[in-house]
Amino acid sequence: MADHSSDHRTEIRDFLASRRAKITPERAGLPTSARRRVPGLRREEVAVLAGVSTEWYTRLEKGHISGVSEDVLAAVAQALQLDDDERTYLFDLARAARPARRTPSRRRDVEVPPRIQWLLDSVALSAAFVRNGRLDVVATNPLARALHAPMFASLTADSRGRANFARYHFLDPGSQDFFVDWASGAAMTVALLRAEAGREPHDRALRELIGELSTASADFRTMWAAHDVRIRHEGTKRLQHPEVGLLDLTFHSLDLPVSPRAVHDLSLYTAEPGTTSEDRLKLLASLAATPARST
């Protein structure tokens, strides 16, 4: 049996070290010197800022997080200037380190209730879909499926035709043509998976997905090693669609309480009114509604 506790300690060590490397003494309000052997703060400097001993912080950064109080974790998070998502991730790592079931299990996928599909289908001028924490697309409206047609048609979709954003990004070369800003989208995709790994360290399917991507994609391995974390994703997206051309879209994601056991979010993609992208999105919506497009 694999030593999952050792893997977890490695995650904690690498995350804390990567955050420490991002903070300069100037940013932390500490005196500086010309000769420094590390790119960011030293361990003893983080310890001072957090109000703990250097020995204690060194032990924490080696992955020994079980039993650490929330107050101390909050002090470390403040010393490392973690943002809200990074702070949540650190607390998730601490929770996962508590003595409990250690063997990864295969979570049963949660079926999306019919009422959620009705909601998606009622959205006419926005692409709407539901995604789980592993970035599987588990429900769509017709426009969302048409908008992401290259991803659903990709060989990276599963046997049921269910697409996965991470697998498409990193395992299908065509994704670099479809996503205009591929690198930033790929990095955000990895950061979302990193947050899910903190929430669900015992999810065997998630571990298998991360292992598959790490084995097959050097880009994924590089981005995964950065230990960046993002819980929610929103902003703008540019897509080069094979049927309607370039689309500049705004998207927003909302938590969707489908199940208390698993994370799902509802994502909406739309275009600014009066723009060429809105005209093209409306055209795509009309094409998606054409019976001839049904399979």
Side-chain angles (χ1 to χ4, degrees):
M1 181 180 296
D3 185 356
H4 301 297
S5 62
S6 177
D7 291 343
H8 192 71
R9 285 195 296 270
T10 300
E11 293 295 325
I12 297 165
R13 180 197 67 200
D14 292 347
F15 174 67
L16 291 175
S18 69
R19 299 311 96 175
R20 178 165 57 85
K22 287 178 174 286
I23 303 174
T24 63
E26 294 89 347
R27 181 176 163 188
L30 296 173
T32 61
S33 61
R35 300 178 62 184
R36 294 185 66 86
R37 297 169 58 186
V38 294
L41 295 180
R42 301 184 181 99
R43 285 176 174 172
E44 56 266 28
E45 290 170 331
V46 176
V48 168
L49 291 170
V52 298
S53 70
T54 300
E55 292 75 16
W56 187 94
Y57 179 76
T58 298
R59 179 174 170 77
L60 176 64
E61 198 172 287
K62 288 182 177 180
H64 299 283
I65 201 171
S66 179
V68 177
S69 72
E70 291 191 357
D71 288 343
V72 171
L73 281 180
V76 170
Q78 184 174 357
L80 292 173
Q81 301 183 20
L82 303 187
D83 63 25
D84 289 344
D85 289 354
E86 292 168 333
R87 187 180 188 277
T88 298
Y89 179 68
L90 177 62
F91 276 74
D92 284 341
L93 292 176
R95 186 187 68 250
R98 295 169 188 159
R101 174 173 52 89
R102 297 281 184 173
T103 303
S105 61
R106 190 174 296 279
R107 283 187 296 165
R108 180 177 299 175
D109 287 335
V110 177
E111 294 297 325
V112 175
R115 66 182 182 275
I116 299 299
Q117 188 62 58
W118 303 339
L119 170 66
L120 297 177
D121 290 340
S122 72
V123 179
L125 295 181
S126 295
F129 60 89
V130 177
R131 185 180 60 188
N132 65 20
R134 294 191 296 265
L135 307 187
D136 298 316
V137 181
V138 297
T140 70
N141 70 354
L143 181 52
R145 199 167 186 92
L147 179 64
H148 293 97
M151 182 172 69
F152 284 99
S154 170
L155 294 176
T156 61
D158 67 16
S159 59
R160 293 178 290 170
R162 189 173 68 175
N164 178 279
F165 275 96
R167 297 187 84 247
Y168 180 61
H169 260 96
F170 293 100
L171 302 183
D172 189 328
S175 68
Q176 300 198 30
D177 297 320
F178 181 61
F179 296 114
V180 177
D181 304 309
W182 182 88
S184 61
M188 186 59 66
T189 296
V190 174
L192 290 167
L193 278 184
R194 173 68 71 180
E196 178 70 357
R199 283 189 297 263
E200 296 292 343
H202 306 299
D203 183 352
R204 188 188 306 167
L206 176 63
R207 292 172 66 95
E208 289 172 354
L209 173 63
I210 294 168
E212 176 189 14
L213 297 174
S214 297
T215 300
S217 172
D219 288 321
F220 180 85
R221 289 194 298 273
T222 298
M223 294 179 186
W224 187 254
H227 285 265
D228 291 332
V229 179
R230 190 59 56 215
I231 292 175
R232 187 172 289 106
H233 189 22
E234 58 193 46
T236 59
K237 184 86 71 175
R238 292 194 297 162
L239 306 176
Q240 185 62 45
H241 197 277
E243 292 192 70
V244 299
L246 181 65
L247 291 162
D248 286 290
L249 304 175
T250 297
F251 68 97
H252 195 86
S253 296
L254 304 168
D255 289 335
L256 189 65
V258 172
S259 163
R261 179 68 184 88
V263 169
H264 290 80
D265 63 48
L266 169 65
S267 294
L268 297 167
Y269 283 58
T270 191
E272 182 180 351
T275 62
T276 301
S277 289
E278 183 191 38
D279 294 338
R280 291 174 177 172
L281 195 62
K282 287 180 178 177
L283 173 59
L284 190 59
S286 68
L287 293 173
T290 302
R293 291 179 59 88
S294 300
T295 57

